Amino acid sequence: MADSVPPLSQSVLRNLADKLYEKRKTAALEVESVVKSLTAGQDHEKISSIIALLTYDFALSPQANHRKGGLIGLAAATVGLASEAAQHLEKIVPPVLSSFTDQDSRVRYYACEALYNIAKVARGDFIVFFNDIFDALCKLSADSDPNVQSAAHLLDRLVKDIVTESDQFSIEEFIPLLRERMNVLNPFVRQFLVGWITVLDSVPDIDMLGFLPDFLDGLFNMLSDSSHEIRQQADQALAEFLQEIKNAPSVDYGRMAEILVQRAGSPDEFTRLTSITWINEFVKLGGDQLVPYYADILGVVLPSISDKEEKIRVVARETNEELRTIKAEPSEGFDIGAVLVIARRELGNDYEATRLEALRWISVLLERHRTEVLSFLDDIFPALLTSLSDPSDEVALLVLEVQACIARDPQHFRHLMVFLVHRFNSEHSLLERRGTLALRRLCQLLGAERVYRELATILEGEADLEFATIMVQALNLILLTAPELADLRALLKVTLSTPGSRDLFVALYASWCHSPIATVSLCLLAQAYPHASSVIQSLGETDISVNLLVQVDKLVRLLETPIFAYLRLQLLEPGRYPQLLKTLYGLLMLLPQQSSAFKILRTRLKTVPSHSVMHTQPHGVSTPSEFPGLSAIRRSASAGPFPQILSHIPSIPVSSLSLQATEPDGEKNADIISNGSVAGINFASQLKQFEHMQHQHRLHQGANNIFKPPRRPPIVPNQNGQRVEDRPDSQKSPRGVATPRSPRSTWSQY
C-alpha cells in the first residue's frame, strides 16, 4: 500500500514505526502536513488511502512500535483534516478504540492520547461514538497502569465537556449502558460512573431524574463501598437527586419505592439510614402514589423501628406515623391482606417496639376496614393468641385490645372465648403468666358479665376435667379480687332478690361445680349460705385432697379482705345468719388445726358477739350436732364467747330452714333459704348438679390412678424463691392463676 500513496515518503513511514518517540512525533507532523494539503485540494480519496495505510499497516500491526506510530499518525491526520474530519471519523475512531484493550500499556496510553487529540478536533461530531468511547473509558478507569489511568482521566474530562455543550447527546441511548455497569464493584469504575451521573445531572437539557430508577439501585449499592470517597460521592449524588425530587412536579415513586424497600434491609447501616430517609420523604411527598406499595414499605419500616442505630429508629417511627395518617381504600390499590401478612409476621419480631407497632396496625385496620380484616381472621387470630405469651405486658395488653375489638361481634366473641380456653388448656404456662392479666383486661373491654357467662358455658362442657377445675379456680379468684369485676360482684350479692342476678348465679354455678371451694365462694358471694353449707357437707373423704385444702386456705384468707366485709359484718347477727356461721365452721373443720388458715378463721369466729347469740337462741331448744367433729372445736375454743356460739349452732333444726321466719323488724331472715326452690333458684337441683359433677371428677381421678402413678403435689416457689411442695396454708395461687396484687395491703396477694 505504501507504493500507492506517494504523499507519504518512505522516511515518514519508517519513522512512524521507530522505537523512539521523537522520530514517531516528527513523522506524525509530516502526516499532518500532507493531509492538510490534501484537504485543501479536497482530495479525499488520497486522504482515505492514508487513513487506511495508518490503520492496517500500523494501528493494527502485530508490532508494538508500529501500533504506536499508527495511533499518533491517525491523530495527526485528524488534526490535518480540521473541519473536514467528520466525514472520516468512522474510519479513524474504531482502530483507536480497539487499541484501548491492547496488551501493551504504552499502546493503551498512546490510544488515549490519540483519541484526546481526535476529540479536540471533532468536538460535537464526536458524539456519535459516545457509547463506544464511554465503554472504553469505563474499562480504562480501572487500568492497572497509573499512566494509562491518568491519560484516561484527561480524555474523560474532555469528553464530559463535549457532551455538556452538545445538543446531539442521547440520554435514552446512554442509560442502558450506564445501568449495565452500575453494579460493578471496582472502586475506580464506581468513581467514573458517579462522576458521569453527576455531570449529566448538571446539564439542564438532560433529564436524569426521569431515568433515576434505572441507576438508583447502583448508587445505593455504592453507599456500602469500602472507600470513604466513593461513599461520599454516592451520598452526595443521592442527596442532589432527593432535592430534585422534592422540587419536581411529578415523579415515578413506585419504581423507586421497590428499590428502596430492598436496600432498607441492607446489613450496611449507612445504606439503611439513607433508604429509610428516602422512604420517609416519599411517603410525605407522594403518599397516595405509594398505596400499592404500602405492604412492602411497612415490611421494612416496622423492623427499622427497632434498629440498633438511633437515627434509623427515629426516621422509621416518623415514617410509620405518616403511613398511618394516610387513609387508603382497597379501590385505590390498598392491599389489606398483604399489610396484615406483614403485621402478623412482625408479631414474631425479637423487639418489643416492632411488635407493638404491628399490633397497632392491626388495630387501625380493624377500625377503618373492619369487614375486610375479619375476612382474614383465621390467618391472624392464631398469631394474636400466640402473642399473649409475649414477655412484654404492654404487648399482651395491646393484643387483648385487638382481640376485644374483633370480639365486638357476637360470633367472633364466642370464637375468641373458645380459642382462649383452648390456648390456656394447651399451654398451662400461659395461664399461669397471662391468665389473670388476660381475663381482667377482657372483662374491662368486653364486660365482665358477658365474659364470665361465656366462659362458664364453655367450661361446663369441658372434657378435660382437671383443666376445667384449674380454670374455674382461676376465674373464681379473679372474681373475688379484681377491681374490674366489682360490678359483677355487686350483681351477685343481690342474687336472692334480683332476677338478673339469679340468672347469672345459675349460669356460673354449672361450671363452678368443677371446684367445690369455688362453688362455696360463689355461694358466699351470693349470700346463699344454706347452700354453701350443704355443699361443704356433701363432700366425702375422697374429696379432701391437698388441692382442696389449698383452696380452703385461699378462701379463708380472702374472707379477711375488704371484698367480704359485708359477710364479716353479718357475723354480728349470728341469729339472723346461722347458716353463715355453719358454713364457716364447716370450712374450719376441713382445715388442719396447725395450719395458719385454721388459726385465722378460728380467731375470726371467736369475735362473734355472744349476747347476740344468746338473744336469738330459743330457751330450752336444742338439737343434735350436725358436725360430728364439733366437740373437738369446742374443746379447742375454751376462752371467750366461743362455747356459747358453738352451743347455738346445732340448735337450729334443718327442717326449720324452709319456714318463713321474720326478724323483729319484720324483714325476712336471709337464712330461710333451704335446698328447695327459693327466689327462683332450685337449690336442691343445684346441689344434685354439684354432686354429679364431683362424681365425674372422682371417676376421672380413679381412672388416672389406675393408668398412671400418683402425681406429686405441685411445686411452687416460696417467698424466698425456693421451691417447696404446695400445702394447705401455702400463700401461693392455684395452678393457672397469676395472683392479682395491690400495693399496701397484706391481703391482696390472695
Side-chain angles (χ1 to χ4, degrees), residues 49-90:
S49 299
I50 293 174
I51 293 173
L53 171 68
L54 295 172
T55 299
Y56 295 106
D57 286 11
F58 288 89
L60 301 180
S61 170
Q63 300 295 323
N65 289 331
H66 281 66
R67 297 197 296 274
K68 296 174 187 177
L71 290 170
I72 195 172
L74 288 171
T78 306
V79 174
L81 284 166
S83 60
E84 301 291 332
Q87 57 185 305
H88 296 281
L89 285 178
E90 291 184 1

Side-chain angles (χ1 to χ4, degrees), residues 393-454:
D393 284 348
E394 189 176 357
V395 171
L397 288 172
L398 191 52
V399 168
L400 292 169
E401 289 184 17
V402 172
Q403 290 176 332
C405 183
I406 294 172
R408 288 207 302 258
D409 299 335
Q411 69 273 25
H412 297 307
F413 175 76
R414 170 73 179 180
H415 194 191
L416 170 61
M417 294 297 108
V418 171
F419 262 88
L420 192 63
V421 171
H422 175 74
R423 185 73 180 178
F424 284 155
N425 192 6
S426 60
E427 188 179 346
H428 285 184
S429 61
L430 175 62
L431 183 59
E432 294 172 1
R433 291 183 288 108
R434 285 281 186 267
T436 298
L437 177 69
L439 294 170
R440 288 176 61 178
R441 187 61 174 162
L442 287 176
C443 286
Q444 185 179 20
L445 295 170
L446 297 172
E449 182 178 353
R450 185 185 181 197
V451 170
Y452 264 66
R453 280 180 179 271
E454 191 63 43

Side-chain angles (χ1 to χ4, degrees), residues 493 527 529 559-577 580-581 584 604 607-609 612:
K493 286 179 184 177
Q527 302 186 61
Y529 302 135
L559 292 175
E560 296 300 314
T561 67
I563 291 173
F564 282 106
Y566 71 92
L567 183 148
R568 298 196 299 274
L569 290 174
Q570 289 173 351
L571 291 175
L572 294 173
E573 303 178 86
R576 186 178 180 186
Y577 302 100
L580 171 58
L581 277 171
L584 296 181
R604 172 60 64 184
T607 62
V608 176
S612 298

Side-chain angles (χ1 to χ4, degrees), residues 439-490:
L439 294 170
R440 288 176 61 178
R441 187 61 174 162
L442 287 176
C443 286
Q444 185 179 20
L445 295 170
L446 297 172
E449 182 178 353
R450 185 185 181 197
V451 170
Y452 264 66
R453 280 180 179 271
E454 191 63 43
L455 288 175
T457 301
I458 296 170
L459 292 173
E460 182 181 357
E462 174 60 47
D464 187 343
L465 297 182
E466 183 179 358
F467 166 72
T469 301
I470 294 170
M471 192 70 187
V472 166
Q473 290 171 357
L475 290 170
N476 185 65
L477 184 60
I478 296 170
L479 174 63
L480 297 179
T481 58
E484 295 85 353
L485 278 76
D487 292 341
L488 189 62
R489 289 194 294 270

